[in-house]
Amino acid sequence: MPVSKRSALQEETASTRRRSGRLSSTQVKSSYFEGSSDETEERTSKPSGRRKGADQSKKRARYAESEPDQEQYKDESEEESAPVQPKKRSRGRPPKKAKEEESDEEDQYDDAPDDEDDKDDDDDDDDDDEDGPRKVEIIPLEKLRDTGGVSYEDHKIHKNTMLFLRDLKANNKRPWLKSHDGEYRRALKDWQSFVETTTQTLIEVDDTIPELPAKDVIFRIHRDIRFSKDPTPYKPHFSAAWSRTGRKGPYAVYYIHCEPKKSFIGGGLWHPEAAHLAKLRQSIDERPRRWRRAMADPLFRKTFFPALEKKGVEDVVKAFAGRNQENALKKKPMGYEVTHRDIELLKLRNFTVVTHLNDDVLCSDNAQTKLKDILSGLSGFVFFLNSIVMPDPNLDDDESDDDDGQEGEEGEEEHGGEESEDDEEAQDDEENE
């Protein structure tokens, strides 16, 4: 290769190398070092005026040639000087925003990063609490209440059982019952033994009641709060119901409710199904005297309507309808006229009677004797309802029809011949048909 071409190629490569991003070993420096180089030159030598002018012109030329290189050096230096943020390991949470370095002017007005740091620290503390072991609250079991020298007996309720129900009503919460589990189990056992003894007493009154185990008669103390506005989880009382099929079934029941200052004994049909309700209304419409005869029973009136013992049967019927107004119809039932004689009975959807008890009755030594007297006054009414809803095929119902006919004259006297007019209209309708 000729010497001229070789020298031209070397000059070209040298110029390209100077323009590259690498630091050259020549005396040309970027503007980053310009201030220091000028200072050193000024310190070392102070040239004369002509020499000084020539040096300044050379510096300007060098500065013009090295301008693009200086900008490139700046960009690379800034990129190299930018700190690299290490990645923070996360535990299943979304990654947090990394803090970016901003200019001095932005830092003066931006106080958010400090607050975010505090929030992040709080979040970490919360996460640590969640990941850590759970705190277990230990509720100590309380000692059983003293019996006061009175032993638990099957034929009556112990006073401690009443006190437990009173405390349960005041502290109707699950933690409280767990801490009083021993007291609850002792009270439940006392109630179960009382129910078993009462079953034998009831069988003596009504032989249609079978000897069922206590679990088929007793209601649970736990409440179903799924669809209730009342959030309390327990019933503050003990209860049991006896019928031919236990506490459940289509038959009328004998019911005992044990609650401090609210105990009572009741019976009858509570919310009977639609088919049985239709039978009851049909019986009221077709055989009204049977209903009056059942409510005119002396023992029934003495037990459940003592204030009306010396009054007429119509007052008892009216009082019976008044006590069962809960869930009663506001209007007449379908198929019956508003002017019906027993329209108040036809509107009913419950057919029950109740008598309240003093706490001392259930806790006394003669509790079973008193219960037997009340259940005896209720047995006739329960038997009457069962004969309508679930009639026994082995029993003949002609007797009751004859009784209705024999009491016809009394009904005519009481109601001013209304029954006779109704009978005449019914006969006329049958002849027309």
Side-chain angles (χ1 to χ4, degrees), residues 216-228:
D216 293 340
V217 176
I218 294 175
F219 290 95
R220 296 177 66 223
I221 199 172
H222 303 80
R223 293 183 65 251
D224 185 2
I225 59 175
R226 292 176 297 175
F227 308 104
S228 176

Side-chain angles (χ1 to χ4, degrees), residues 166-290:
R166 183 199 64 184
D167 295 342
L168 177 61
K169 186 175 182 178
N171 306 277
N172 201 330
K173 296 179 181 178
R174 298 183 188 278
W176 184 89
L177 188 62
K178 287 182 179 180
S179 63
H180 296 75
D181 185 68
E183 195 71 38
Y184 163 66
R185 293 183 181 279
R186 187 171 67 171
L188 180 61
K189 185 178 180 181
D190 181 41
W191 173 247
Q192 289 175 344
S193 62
F194 175 80
V195 167
E196 291 173 354
T197 306
T198 306
T199 300
Q200 301 300 324
T201 303
L202 184 57
I203 291 175
E204 297 177 4
V205 175
D206 187 352
D207 56 0
T208 62
I209 302 299
E211 189 173 355
L212 298 172
K215 66 181 183 64
D216 293 340
V217 176
I218 294 175
F219 290 95
R220 296 177 66 223
I221 199 172
H222 303 80
R223 293 183 65 251
D224 185 2
I225 59 175
R226 292 176 297 175
F227 308 104
S228 176
K229 295 181 180 179
D230 184 5
T232 54
Y234 306 110
K235 304 172 189 175
H237 61 264
F238 288 131
S239 57
W242 293 263
S243 73
R244 300 182 187 183
T245 55
R247 67 176 182 272
K248 298 180 180 179
Y251 293 95
V253 301
Y254 302 87
Y255 180 82
I256 295 182
H257 183 98
C258 178
E259 183 178 0
K261 299 182 180 180
K262 293 184 179 180
S263 300
F264 64 87
I265 295 179
L269 288 170
W270 177 262
H271 292 303
E273 58 184 69
H276 295 163
L277 185 59
K279 290 182 179 180
L280 291 166
R281 287 173 177 167
Q282 183 180 1
S283 175
I284 294 170
D285 181 41
E286 296 178 355
R287 297 181 177 181
R289 293 191 185 92
R290 289 191 62 195

Side-chain angles (χ1 to χ4, degrees), residues 120-138:
D120 293 341
D121 295 341
D122 295 340
D123 294 340
D124 294 340
D125 294 340
D126 295 341
D127 294 338
D128 294 340
D129 294 341
E130 291 178 0
D131 296 338
R134 294 183 179 179
K135 296 180 180 179
V136 179
E137 183 180 359
I138 300 175

Side-chain angles (χ1 to χ4, degrees), residues 44-243:
T44 53
S45 62
K46 292 184 179 179
S48 60
R50 185 178 298 177
R51 181 74 177 175
K52 186 176 182 181
D55 293 341
Q56 288 179 355
S57 62
K58 288 181 181 180
K59 286 181 181 179
R60 290 172 186 169
R62 291 172 186 171
Y63 181 78
E65 290 178 359
S66 60
E67 254 184 1
D69 295 339
Q70 294 165 7
E71 293 176 359
Q72 189 173 4
Y73 297 153
K74 280 185 178 182
D75 296 338
E76 290 182 358
S77 62
E78 288 178 359
E79 290 178 0
E80 291 176 358
S81 62
V84 179
Q85 294 292 338
K87 288 187 177 181
K88 188 175 181 180
R89 295 183 63 186
S90 60
R91 294 176 291 180
R93 300 188 301 272
K96 300 175 182 176
K97 294 182 179 179
K99 300 177 184 177
E100 297 180 357
E101 292 186 1
E102 299 183 352
S103 61
D104 297 338
E105 295 180 358
E106 293 176 350
D107 290 340
Q108 292 177 2
Y109 304 102
D110 191 5
D111 296 335
D114 295 336
D115 298 338
E116 290 178 0
D117 289 343
D118 297 339
K119 293 180 180 178
D120 293 341
D121 295 341
D122 295 340
D123 294 340
D124 294 340
D125 294 340
D126 295 341
D127 294 338
D128 294 340
D129 294 341
E130 291 178 0
D131 296 338
R134 294 183 179 179
K135 296 180 180 179
V136 179
E137 183 180 359
I138 300 175
I139 303 175
L141 294 176
E142 296 189 4
K143 295 181 180 180
L144 294 178
R145 187 180 282 110
D146 186 26
T147 60
V150 180
S151 60
Y152 283 79
E153 300 182 49
D154 296 343
H155 65 277
K156 65 178 182 179
I157 299 294
H158 199 278
K159 290 185 177 180
N160 284 349
T161 302
M162 289 292 187
L163 294 176
F164 166 76
L165 293 174
R166 183 199 64 184
D167 295 342
L168 177 61
K169 186 175 182 178
N171 306 277
N172 201 330
K173 296 179 181 178
R174 298 183 188 278
W176 184 89
L177 188 62
K178 287 182 179 180
S179 63
H180 296 75
D181 185 68
E183 195 71 38
Y184 163 66
R185 293 183 181 279
R186 187 171 67 171
L188 180 61
K189 185 178 180 181
D190 181 41
W191 173 247
Q192 289 175 344
S193 62
F194 175 80
V195 167
E196 291 173 354
T197 306
T198 306
T199 300
Q200 301 300 324
T201 303
L202 184 57
I203 291 175
E204 297 177 4
V205 175
D206 187 352
D207 56 0
T208 62
I209 302 299
E211 189 173 355
L212 298 172
K215 66 181 183 64
D216 293 340
V217 176
I218 294 175
F219 290 95
R220 296 177 66 223
I221 199 172
H222 303 80
R223 293 183 65 251
D224 185 2
I225 59 175
R226 292 176 297 175
F227 308 104
S228 176
K229 295 181 180 179
D230 184 5
T232 54
Y234 306 110
K235 304 172 189 175
H237 61 264
F238 288 131
S239 57
W242 293 263
S243 73

